[in-house]
Amino acid sequence: MLNKYARAFFTRVLTPFAALLLRIGVSPDAVTLIGTAGVMAGALVFFPMGEFFWGTIVITVFVFSDLVDGNMARQAGISSRWGAFLDSTLDRVADGAIFGGFALWYAGGGDDDVLCAVAIFCLASGQVVSYTKARGESIGLPVAVNGLVERAERLVISLVAAGLAGLHAFGVPGIQVLLPIALWIVAAGSLVTLVQRVVTVRRESAEADAAAAAEQGSEAAQ
């Protein structure tokens, strides 16, 4: 849902910035690479130290590159399969860094093995959720379902909670509980989304196989 509405809104907002980058000679691929590097730095430098507020600020600044690079490519008329592949691949890297940063915190200073495991589950399930759609589409299926918690929802829920939890360092009491709650929500939502996509692919593949069998039967009858 957020992919549908928030992406359209921020694309309009960021269009002038994307045009400026093109005018000064920055390429969409460079924005993709820089954005991913910034997200990884924010997640893997700040989060393992428990600096959730500043880590979230850094990540938020760079995560918008995911919208800027595509906007630049469309404005320049240079959209390509390579650009789409690079963008999608580095999205997975950035997501892995964010939840990996959470896991490192709970494995270290956060000292909570259960939440470390939940963060790792969020990391793995997010990757698999993306894979199911990509793999289904690669075998010719529409995979006509988005699911309860897509990438946008995973990022918004986890980063908003992390940023607010980071206010604990500024003296806000009790707010650090928001991050564990968010991780459990993302884990449960990712599991539901995974099931939704697997069920959809199973149904669509059965329908496609039945249609193919019927077509072969019709040709044989002729």
Side-chain angles (χ1 to χ4, degrees), residues 12 34 36 48 65 79 81 86 115 143 147 172 180 186 196 211 220:
R12 289 194 299 272
I34 293 170
T36 302
S65 66
S79 298
R81 291 182 176 87
L86 181 66
L115 287 175
V143 195
V172 180
V186 171
Q196 288 177 303

Side-chain angles (χ1 to χ4, degrees), residues 186-207:
V186 171
S190 296
L191 180 60
V192 171
T193 303
L194 178 59
V195 171
Q196 288 177 303
R197 290 192 174 179
V198 169
V199 169
T200 298
V201 169
R202 175 173 170 75
R203 174 179 53 79
E204 290 178 348
S205 62
E207 291 172 352

Side-chain angles (χ1 to χ4, degrees), residues 53-68:
F53 178 79
W54 294 115
T56 300
I57 293 297
V58 172
I59 291 169
T60 301
V61 169
F62 285 99
V63 80
F64 283 105
S65 66
D66 187 45
L67 299 176
V68 174

Side-chain angles (χ1 to χ4, degrees), residues 59 63 94-95 98-99 149-161 186:
I59 291 169
V63 80
D95 293 357
I98 290 170
F99 290 103
V149 175
E150 298 180 84
R151 181 175 187 254
E153 285 83 3
R154 291 196 301 271
L155 290 180
V156 169
I157 293 170
S158 58
L159 291 178
V160 168
V186 171

Side-chain angles (χ1 to χ4, degrees), residues 95-97 99-101 103 118-128:
D95 293 357
F99 290 103
V118 173
I120 292 172
F121 179 83
C122 290
L123 189 163
S125 60
Q127 305 294 321
V128 176

Side-chain angles (χ1 to χ4, degrees), residues 30-217:
V31 171
T32 303
L33 291 167
I34 293 170
T36 302
V39 171
M40 292 178 66
L44 297 178
V45 172
F46 291 95
F47 285 177
M49 297 189 298
E51 295 285 349
F52 294 118
F53 178 79
W54 294 115
T56 300
I57 293 297
V58 172
I59 291 169
T60 301
V61 169
F62 285 99
V63 80
F64 283 105
S65 66
D66 187 45
L67 299 176
V68 174
D69 55 5
N71 193 315
M72 291 172 65
R74 286 189 294 273
Q75 288 191 49
I78 54 174
S79 298
S80 65
R81 291 182 176 87
W82 161 249
F85 169 82
L86 181 66
D87 186 54
S88 179
T89 299
L90 294 185
D91 281 350
R92 307 288 83 75
V93 173
D95 293 357
I98 290 170
F99 290 103
F102 293 143
L104 287 172
W105 163 247
Y106 286 116
D111 193 25
D112 193 317
D113 290 344
V114 173
L115 287 175
C116 177
V118 173
I120 292 172
F121 179 83
C122 290
L123 189 163
S125 60
Q127 305 294 321
V128 176
V129 164
S130 298
Y131 174 79
T132 53
K133 187 173 183 66
R135 181 59 178 144
E137 290 174 343
S138 74
I139 58 176
L141 300 175
V143 195
V145 62
N146 290 321
L148 181 64
V149 175
E150 298 180 84
R151 181 175 187 254
E153 285 83 3
R154 291 196 301 271
L155 290 180
V156 169
I157 293 170
S158 58
L159 291 178
V160 168
L164 292 175
L167 295 176
H168 177 70
F170 298 92
V172 180
I175 201 166
Q176 67 270 25
V177 73
L178 291 178
L179 181 55
I181 292 172
L183 289 175
W184 280 107
I185 290 173
V186 171
S190 296
L191 180 60
V192 171
T193 303
L194 178 59
V195 171
Q196 288 177 303
R197 290 192 174 179
V198 169
V199 169
T200 298
V201 169
R202 175 173 170 75
R203 174 179 53 79
E204 290 178 348
S205 62
E207 291 172 352
D209 291 343
E215 183 177 351
Q216 289 178 354

